[in-house]
Structures are given as structure tokens and as C-alpha cells.
Amino acid sequence: EPVDELPQDVDVLLATSAEAMANVETVRFEIERGGVPIYIDTTGTLEFKDATGRFVAPQAADAVVKVGVSGLNVQIGAIAIDGTVWLSNPISGEWEQAPSSYAFDPTQLFDPEIGWRPLLAGELSNAAFVGREDFEGQDVYHLTGSAPSARIETITAGLVTDQDVDLDLYLDPETGHVVEVVFDATTSAGVSTWGLRFFGYGDDIEIVPPDELDASG
């Protein structure tokens, strides 16, 4: 038994994880969705499928977002820096600033005030330690608990609203970093399933606004 593992006590784990997630400098993430459609725009045109992205503290992220439009899957790029979100046009590839009706801002996941930290630092109700498990070859601690709607909205980058959810939380036993979160959300249309995966903590990542991307060719 390695001595540098966190104790299998739910309160200690959540407190440690809250600090670890609040102090994230860089990380990579994947968000996957199944079940009924969820749309990233208010007009219900762009169906969110999945996203793969990167985050750099304090408030920069980029992602490739797969969306369904009229039965076709297209990929759009998203860059979010300090509250401004740019999207790449799926047809032309040109970057344009996102309209306010666009719901997806992945920087929110890691905002110390509204993201993971408050959830892990006391908002997760009925929290329980389930056990040690193997997650895709990685040793993890499995916790369960209920998260309030405001926090779920934040950690899904604005896509799941108006409901508390029961979630499964998988933590790195040594650092307390979140490895994966899995939960179901219910809409008027039915149930959507969610998986958020985090990896590459501390990777060397730089995120620049679109005009600097274009300038570099």
C-alpha cells in the first residue's frame, strides 16, 4: 500500500479534491453525451455530441466540439478567453465571436468561485465513498453524491440546467484530481447521459485568441 495515497474518507477526499481542482494550472478534458439531444444554442439547431479540449488558468480554454446539424455531424472549434467565446464557422473555417445565445463556455468548469471547488467543498450532498476501482487501467477512488443544479450547469459549460443530479465521481487517489464524472440529466424529451473526463493535469498548454492563430498561418 503506497504511503502517499489519500485516506479513504469522503470528507478528506472532497476537501483535498476541492483544493486540487481550484489550483489546476492546465488540464485536458473530454465531454461525451448520449441519450436525448441537448442543444448548445437557444434556437435548438446545434445538437451537442461531444467535445475535446484544454484549459489554462485562470480563464482560457479551447475545444473541438462535435455538433449535429440537420442530421449531419460537423466539428466546430471553440476558444474561450476571459469570458469571450469565438467559434469557427463549420463551412468556411473562419473564426467569429459567438453570439450570446451560445451556451458552451468550458472555462467555467475550472473557475474557482463557481466551478469544481464549491461543489467539492461542501455542495455535494449524500456524498459517499464507494471504493477503489480500475478506470481504464488507472487506479481511482469512486465516490457518489448529489450536485445542485447551479453547479451542474457550470460543470457542463451551460448545457444542463434546472436540476440536481446524482453523480459518480472518480478521483486520483494521490492528488485528488477529478478523473471522471458520470451522471444522467432529465429533460422534457427524456434522459441524456453525460461523461466528463479530465487528464493531462500540468501539461504544457498555450491558448491564444483566433487572430493570433490566423497570423501564424
Side-chain angles (χ1 to χ4, degrees):
E1 183 86 351
V3 291
D4 53 0
E5 285 195 349
L6 299 169
Q8 299 181 9
D9 173 277
V10 69
D11 295 324
V12 174
L13 287 174
L14 289 174
T16 307
S17 187
E19 283 311 298
M21 294 304 283
N23 292 314
V24 167
E25 292 293 326
T26 60
V27 67
R28 300 176 188 274
F29 62 89
E30 295 174 353
I31 304 175
E32 294 184 340
R33 196 221 89 228
V36 299
I38 297 282
Y39 297 92
I40 64 172
D41 60 326
T42 50
T43 58
T45 309
L46 303 172
E47 180 193 346
F48 178 86
K49 300 280 191 177
D50 59 47
T52 303
R54 312 179 301 167
F55 168 81
V56 176
Q59 208 181 359
D62 59 11
V64 175
V65 184
K66 188 195 295 176
V67 295
V69 187
S70 308
L72 296 174
N73 282 346
V74 297
Q75 287 190 336
I76 54 177
I79 297 175
I81 298 175
D82 295 332
T84 301
V85 180
W86 294 269
L87 302 177
S88 67
N89 185 300
I91 310 300
S92 67
E94 293 290 314
W95 288 94
E96 44 208 46
Q97 205 164 315
S100 56
S101 61
Y102 176 79
F104 185 75
D105 180 357
T107 59
Q108 296 180 347
L109 281 71
F110 304 99
D111 184 307
E113 302 307 315
I114 62 172
W116 284 104
R117 184 183 191 169
L119 174 64
L120 298 165
E123 290 183 346
L124 197 67
S125 56
N126 304 318
F129 180 83
V130 179
R132 175 194 296 268
E133 292 177 22
D134 176 84
F135 172 73
E136 297 188 351
Q138 185 175 354
D139 203 26
V140 294
Y141 285 167
H142 180 188
L143 284 70
T144 55
S146 299
S149 59
R151 208 57 57 222
I152 286 299
E153 183 169 349
T154 304
I155 65 172
T156 59
L159 295 172
V160 174
T161 56
D162 304 328
Q163 60 191 293
D164 302 350
V165 304
D166 295 328
L167 49 80
D168 288 275
L169 183 65
Y170 300 90
L171 301 179
D172 184 303
E174 294 179 18
T175 63
H177 282 141
V178 176
V179 176
E180 187 174 48
V181 181
V182 181
F183 62 88
D184 292 344
T186 305
T187 69
S188 55
V191 175
S192 64
T193 59
W194 292 82
L196 286 67
R197 184 173 307 173
F198 304 96
F199 55 99
Y201 286 95
D203 279 8
D204 189 10
I205 297 169
E206 184 184 9
I207 292 170
V208 299
D211 53 2
E212 295 184 32
L213 284 179
D214 296 339
S216 65

